[in-house]
Amino acid sequence: MFMPSTQAGRATLVLAASLLGAGLATAQDRVHTVQAGDHLYGLAQRYLDDPNQWPQLQRLNQVRDPRRLTPGMQLVIPAALLRPEPVPARVVHASGSASGRDPAGAARPLAAGDTVPEGSRIDVGDDGFVTLRLADGSTLRLPAGSRARLDELRQAPGGAARSTIGLERGRIDSTVAPLTSPRSRFEVRTPLATGGVRGTTFGVAVADDGSFIGDVREGSVQVQRATTTTAGDSALLRGGEGTRVGADGAAIMVTPLLPAPDLAGLPAVVEDIAFIDLPLPRQADASRWQVRIAADAGLEQVVRNGEFPGSAQARFPGLPDGRYRVAVRAVDARGIPGGESVQALEVNARPEPPLRIEPQGGARVHGEQLRIRCADVPDAIGYVIQLARDAAFTQPQSLAGDAAAARCERTLDMPAPGAYFWRVATVALESGGTRDQGPFSPPVPFTVLALPPVGATPDIDGAGGDTFTIRWTETGAGPWLHQLQIAHDAAFSRLLLDTRLTSPSYQGAALEPGQYHVRVRQIDATTGLEGAWGGRQTFDVPARLLSGDNQPVRSSAGEPVRPGGR
């Protein structure tokens, strides 16, 4: 008579026997109906993880002769003894370009909810990310540029799990469920080394030169070189440690991971609809950075991921509005990622700000009124336009009519001369009718110019002589040009003279008899900005007697003689 080899085996045997006696088996146990020709040895080979445990089946089922079984009898095979069988992995999340190729060679894009059978190969494109859940609850995360084989995905009803992942390129981050059975294992294999665990959070990568890179955040990982010849070909990595195993055959060296980075410099809110720009920390021992953005707190639904140089910023394509989590790890000179820091990130880029029309950036404006105008946005119910003296808008002035006007346009009295900035945000209605103000546009700088001072009223000397002179006084600091106009009418529509001068005076030849009007304005010599016209001066040129050769008749004193002796 055979006896169970362990106390646990006895307990299992007694429990199963009692259930069998009661006509019951546990939900996870297998019940086999004996067929002609069956015997315990063959059934043990067929069902048991360890066929040498057939005596436990004999005792449990009260079989007298293991070679002779009665067809039709029910044999209970305890779940704890069952061999793990293939169970497909489930796709928890897939983004970007990611595909699976099954053992038969059929390829298909991966999507959440898909199942991936044992023997499949996973390919993740440069913009993709895939999260897989195994039958025992373990999680695999494959970032962009990774390729892996699901060589073994086995699970027994009694809890034994065997998972073997072949990593061909890229990286796998694993969170492994505790392995409750001594027959369980979880391994990630690369061409140069294997990382095996018994419940932990760790990562394995294949470097460009084929080197194995391992890092452990929790638990422990046994790293074994693929071709073991010396004692230095294996090492135990504990939480906070990592290693790189190359093809040089050197002993495996364990090194501390870089500390988790400080993410205080990352923005809490991103308002750009086109890009997600994240300034990376400055860390002297970081050769590059691993950055991922996820839509969930568990960092399984990764929507953006990539690696960036140590001194650069991370830039990703824009995301839908919402709340995200950013995870960042520094990578040391050996290519081993360090501790991970996670920070919340909100994207609020909608409704999108309108296109700014005027004033354009760098514009110099003047006049009595300032017009601010932008392109209307479909479905907008209004616009918030702000004016400030600084680009940070520390003291913004919101313009009247915010979020109420149907057009993105405001007109206001020209502010005092100086530097200004303006920006605009769109207001729309959410699906539930809630008012939703989007982000402000980037600030638009412009300058309000001071108009040159109003010119003085000119004085006229010698208007009736052979020549006449017009003089006026410069006002303000200058430098100025001067525009002088002489006209036949007070509206200055019939101009006799329109000229620009560098000094505040003008001398001209005698004018025909009649009434004239003169005015002057100052022009900024640097900017060309024209001031307002000064007061109008009116003067008369009297008639004169002419000789036969059409020359003025003069008195003995040399003055022109006027008709009537004047």
Side-chain angles (χ1 to χ4, degrees), residues 149-506:
R149 303 181 316 274
L150 306 182
D151 291 335
E152 188 178 27
L153 298 178
R154 305 255 167 156
Q155 177 76 30
R162 295 178 188 169
S163 304
T164 304
I165 314 300
L167 181 62
E168 299 178 6
R169 72 181 183 207
R171 177 179 176 84
I172 288 180
D173 285 293
S174 306
T175 300
V176 182
L179 306 183
T180 57
S181 169
R183 299 192 305 276
S184 298
R185 69 168 180 267
F186 185 101
E187 294 179 344
V188 177
R189 296 177 178 175
T190 73
L192 292 181
T194 296
V197 305
R198 295 191 62 82
T200 189
T201 299
F202 76 110
V204 171
V206 176
D208 292 340
D209 64 358
S211 296
F212 170 100
I213 297 175
D215 60 272
V216 181
R217 278 170 278 172
E218 295 179 4
S220 60
V221 172
Q222 186 72 38
V223 177
Q224 185 80 38
R225 192 182 293 275
T227 54
T228 302
T229 56
T230 66
D233 286 335
S234 66
L236 181 66
L237 303 184
R238 295 179 173 84
E241 295 179 339
T243 190
R244 180 175 182 136
V245 181
D248 53 8
I252 297 177
M253 303 297 294
V254 178
T255 184
L257 302 183
L258 293 180
D262 180 5
L263 302 185
L266 265 62
V269 180
V270 172
E271 296 181 333
D272 191 334
I273 199 169
F275 297 105
I276 306 293
D277 287 326
L278 304 174
L280 297 172
R282 294 189 176 274
Q283 190 167 321
D285 47 5
S287 64
R288 60 185 189 273
W289 297 92
Q290 290 182 355
V291 184
R292 52 184 170 151
I293 304 175
D296 65 317
L299 302 175
E300 293 184 349
Q301 300 176 25
V302 173
V303 292
R304 299 286 186 269
N305 71 109
E307 287 200 358
F308 302 88
S311 59
Q313 73 170 0
R315 165 167 278 196
F316 296 106
L319 286 166
D321 285 6
R323 298 182 183 276
Y324 299 87
R325 304 282 284 178
V326 179
V328 181
R329 304 179 72 187
V331 181
D332 68 15
R334 300 180 64 194
I336 303 173
E340 185 173 67
S341 291
V342 180
Q343 180 170 302
L345 175 71
E346 180 180 356
V347 176
N348 179 32
R350 297 163 184 81
E352 187 176 0
L355 176 68
R356 282 78 64 204
I357 297 178
E358 64 173 326
Q360 289 287 322
R364 296 184 298 179
V365 300
H366 57 85
E368 296 182 356
Q369 290 187 316
L370 172 65
R371 186 186 187 196
I372 296 178
R373 187 165 60 96
C374 38
D376 292 318
V377 176
D379 300 324
I381 63 170
Y383 306 90
V384 177
I385 301 176
Q386 290 185 337
L387 187 69
R389 298 301 294 262
D390 64 315
F393 283 77
T394 54
Q395 294 182 327
Q397 172 191 350
S398 290
L399 306 187
D402 292 343
R407 303 295 304 275
C408 189
E409 184 175 334
R410 305 287 188 276
T411 301
L412 60 151
D413 292 340
M414 187 67 69
Y420 289 87
F421 299 84
W422 74 277
R423 64 183 185 181
V424 57
T426 303
V427 180
L429 292 179
E430 295 181 337
S431 56
T434 304
R435 180 179 181 272
D436 180 22
Q437 178 180 318
F440 280 103
S441 65
V444 179
F446 68 98
T447 302
V448 174
L449 297 178
L451 291 174
V454 177
T457 301
D459 294 325
I460 298 95
D461 293 330
D466 294 336
T467 63
F468 68 98
T469 301
I470 303 176
R471 296 183 179 87
W472 61 94
T473 302
E474 282 189 331
T475 57
W480 311 118
L481 298 176
H482 305 270
Q483 183 177 4
L484 171 69
Q485 287 184 345
I486 301 176
H488 294 287
D489 63 318
F492 288 84
S493 60
R494 296 163 50 216
L495 289 177
L496 175 66
L497 176 70
D498 186 358
T499 186
R500 292 195 176 192
L501 308 166
T502 58
S503 59
S505 65
Y506 172 81

Side-chain angles (χ1 to χ4, degrees), residues 110-130:
L110 294 179
D114 289 348
T115 57
V116 185
E118 178 183 270
S120 297
R121 189 179 74 184
I122 306 297
D123 279 290
V124 185
D126 292 338
D127 64 341
F129 195 96
V130 172

